[in-house]
Amino acid sequence: MARERDTLEVDALFVGAGPASLAGAIRLARLYREHNEAVKAGTRAGPELSPDNILVIDKARSIGDHGISGAVMDPRAMRELFGDFVAQGCPVESEVRTDQLWFMTKSGHVRAPITPPPMNNHGKYVASLNKVVKWLAEQAESLGVQVFAEFPGQALLYDGDRVVGVRVGDKGLGKDGQPKSNYEPGPDLRAKVTVLGEGPRGSLAKKLDQKLGLSAGKNAQVYSIGIKELWQMPKDSTPAGQVIHTLGQPLDSDTFGGGFIYSMAGDVWDIGFVVGLDYGNPQLEPHALFQEFKLHPSIASLLRDGQMIRYGAKAIPEGGWWSRPRPYADGVLLVGDSAGMLNPLKLKGIHLAMKSGMLAAETVFEAIVAQDASAARLAEYDRRLENSWVRAELYAARNFHQGFERGLFAGLLNAGLGMVSGGRGFGVKDRLQGKAGYERMEKLVDYFGRNVPGFERPKYDGRHTFSKLDDVFRSGTTHDENTPCHLLVADTDVCATRCAEEFGNPCQYFCPANVYEMIPAAIGAAKIEKNGYADSGKRLQINFANCVHCKTCDIMDPYQIIDWVPPEGGGGPVYTGL
């Protein structure tokens, strides 16, 4: 007999326990406390508000497990929220002590004599987002906020076009979608205001945008993928607080990206590589470029005698100010990466995410007191963003990434012009137009010509360089394989026919976790010809248990037929220390 779905009603529901949502929940709980004190003192009318009506949910097994970033953290928002956050126990690794920019050649590097102002990290902190998020969750809970792990937001609840909450994903479904003996329907969480802080390419925010057109008239959001490893080095060999950023090798001049190397507490190198998800080469493999980066003499010397201990990957929203969706609608707000809160010039977003959450909280508080969560009321959030340092910072980098659509050197020139023109750069009318990254991927014949090379999988030594599966193992990723696949491909016949012919199935390359494989079709299987495209003789196999939740497939698929949705609660990576 079908079980009845529970319903829980709250004031404010924050979806995704990242820095934006948790900072917002903390700010809202403090506003509740101030309100209650004023009510008791007789200086404000109305009922008291309870912080246990503020709810934060996350899809990870434990809060922070899916938190990953570089990260060099700008402390501005943290100081606004906590004052001396280090003294209060925020687990930063180190204040930045040295700061370098390297231009990588084939055999060495040239250190920039002057660090460009946007990359000057004096006064900032090397940090693990995983640790910072866990600490923020503790601060929220100490104020009475409810923080629930293993609660993936599966679908938005609507009353017409008004968002009234979120349905949590069911537990105990088999891979055929049918209930198992341990089936438990996810509850409906109904809220006066829902705040979406799901990170980049959030599944609920994506559906909301499709329904309400929040991105109409905006530049398309452009993403990069950041791939990183932690390396344990010998004791007392690697002082914390060193920051190095790189440009150049092994990237070609048409591909956006670069490397980063940060030293953490405990003699750990945090090393990673960023590749813009707007490249032209359909056979480009970001994971392989990262492994090649580590073999560069300048990088290999840093990692000598070390051991790789953790791995992770994440999409980065780099479109900038003009790519932000409208961050409000009836009953709902967008914060953090879901709202495009990242400075692409500085490659920093934690402080912007937190500030957006804090400003959202102030708007939510006013809406709850006024008992009005209409779009007209919640539009105050956008005005707050416009009047804050968030706007000032993002506007100064508004045309940064779009300049790289013309190649590395044009992009660097545009960035330089932007620094002396208040962010305008090449923008004739203050805004450089941009298009979605997947639209810039070229077909095989257009990129290579008539002689398309076969793709050869790189060989890795398992000591300094690693296969995707080796890296996935070190990400701590687990999914119950007897659950529904959370990677939904609208038409797999396209994979076997049109995509195989036009692009060579690039999902095999852009995924950093070996989720997508084209394998020989079963002997005797019927050949499929579709829309004039011949069958390749292969079929798509989705190894969803490998998925590290980076969202690259949803972003970079040239036909936009892949839809990433949350898996059963608790599934995914465990990004300890990342």
Side-chain angles (χ1 to χ4, degrees), residues 552-563:
T552 303
C553 56
D554 194 305
I555 294 163
M556 201 57 183
D557 164 43
Y559 304 103
Q560 291 295 281
I561 59 173
I562 299 176
D563 196 22

Side-chain angles (χ1 to χ4, degrees), residues 395-411:
Y395 196 70
R398 60 191 178 279
N399 291 326
F400 171 75
H401 193 101
Q402 287 73 20
F404 286 89
E405 289 193 6
R406 311 180 193 186
L408 173 63
F409 299 110

Side-chain angles (χ1 to χ4, degrees), residues 1-158:
M1 189 170 181
R3 291 186 53 180
E4 197 170 311
R5 196 177 296 276
D6 292 333
T7 299
L8 175 64
E9 296 190 6
V10 296
D11 288 347
L13 171 62
F14 291 84
V15 182
S21 290
L22 290 169
I26 290 167
R27 177 73 177 128
L28 184 57
R30 290 178 179 171
L31 289 170
Y32 272 26
R33 183 173 59 191
E34 293 170 9
H35 169 84
N36 293 342
E37 290 172 353
V39 169
K40 290 176 182 177
T43 57
R44 177 177 290 171
E48 293 187 24
L49 301 171
S50 176
D52 64 10
N53 277 324
I54 304 169
L55 177 60
V56 182
I57 64 171
D58 196 78
K59 59 186 170 62
R61 181 165 287 109
S62 297
I63 300 301
D65 278 1
H66 294 175
I68 178 173
S69 183
V72 173
M73 183 179 71
D74 185 322
R76 187 170 186 177
M78 194 69 79
R79 286 201 179 104
E80 287 186 11
L81 192 58
F82 294 105
D84 191 344
F85 61 96
V86 176
Q88 293 186 46
C90 182
V92 295
E93 301 291 309
S94 172
E95 191 168 355
V96 174
R97 305 189 188 284
T98 64
D99 208 358
Q100 301 178 40
L101 174 62
W102 292 358
F103 294 89
M104 310 291 280
T105 64
K106 288 186 177 181
S107 58
H109 70 272
V110 177
R111 179 177 173 179
I114 300 174
T115 302
M119 304 190 77
N120 185 336
N121 293 296
H122 177 74
K124 298 177 177 62
Y125 290 82
V126 177
S128 156
L129 185 61
N130 164 263
K131 295 178 183 178
V132 169
V133 164
K134 288 181 180 295
W135 181 78
L136 286 172
E138 292 170 0
Q139 308 315 301
E141 290 177 321
S142 71
L143 293 168
V145 174
Q146 299 187 76
V147 183
F148 291 171
E150 296 191 67
F151 265 50
Q154 196 70 36
L156 290 169
L157 302 175
Y158 290 97

